[in-house]
Amino acid sequence: GIVVLGLNRPHAKNALNKNVIKMMSKAVDALKSDKKVRTVIFRSEVPGIFCAGADLKERAKMHSSEVSSFVSKARATIHEMANLPVPTIAAIDGTALGGGLELALACDIRVAASSAKMGLVETKLAIIPGAGGTQRLPRTIGVSLAKELIFSARVVDGEEAKSIGLISHVVEQNETGDAAYRRALALAREFLPQGPVAMRVAKLAINQGMEVDLVTGLAIEEACYAQTIPTKDRIEGLLAFKEKRPPRYKGE
């Protein structure tokens, strides 16, 4: 039930170009409707790097209208990724800059090695984050601190990222350079025993509820809770509790 999507452009530090965005969009579309998928982990197959952001060499060759289209496609793809109906985890074992960090911010949970470097550095290039960074970073760490990091184009390591709430877990890097990925796998395995429908509607309730006032959010929770009542998952969960055994969910 755990799907791992790995970036693998070693010669370009996993920079996001047209082809990567196209492949990512195709993968996300396939995952949306696959009921066997329970958790998705985004990682890098390239040691020491998560994603260096947009491919600036490719962008330099684009016409201005192409740039706008590319950024819109990247923003839409990352947004679709954020809306996957299952938990998503970013395993940051290396540098995540610009669009790379925006990709990680779209995940539900971020795990990073203490040696990893993260930042939205677009203002150095006289542009701004364009794939959700100006919206997701303040929602993650707060408005004032997000402004500070974006205005300064500051890069933080895993320890500082944890202290400001940018990531949920920080781990010491190991000899194989995949400590964050291993921690992400451990988290994903914690999610697997839970009811699949409950997991999907819990994510939906949280995501939608965070954008509205509390009264509206409670109404969203009520509507989402109602979706779990008639499911086979819930019956199996209650039966397993009664019989004092682990539930055996088949997914729906």
Side-chain angles (χ1 to χ4, degrees), residues 62-80:
M62 293 181 187
H63 186 271
S64 58
S65 61
E66 289 183 284
V67 173
S68 178
S69 176
F70 170 77
V71 173
S72 293
K73 178 64 175 175
R75 183 187 302 115
T77 299
I78 289 175
H79 187 61
E80 285 297 302

Side-chain angles (χ1 to χ4, degrees), residues 136-170:
R136 291 193 176 94
L137 187 62
R139 284 169 166 79
T140 301
I141 66 173
V143 174
S144 182
L145 190 51
K147 287 178 178 178
E148 181 180 328
L149 293 185
I150 291 173
F151 294 166
S152 65
R154 186 182 306 151
V155 174
V156 300
D157 63 17
E159 294 291 349
E160 186 174 357
K162 175 66 168 66
S163 72
I164 63 177
L166 178 55
I167 62 175
S168 300
H169 302 274
V170 60

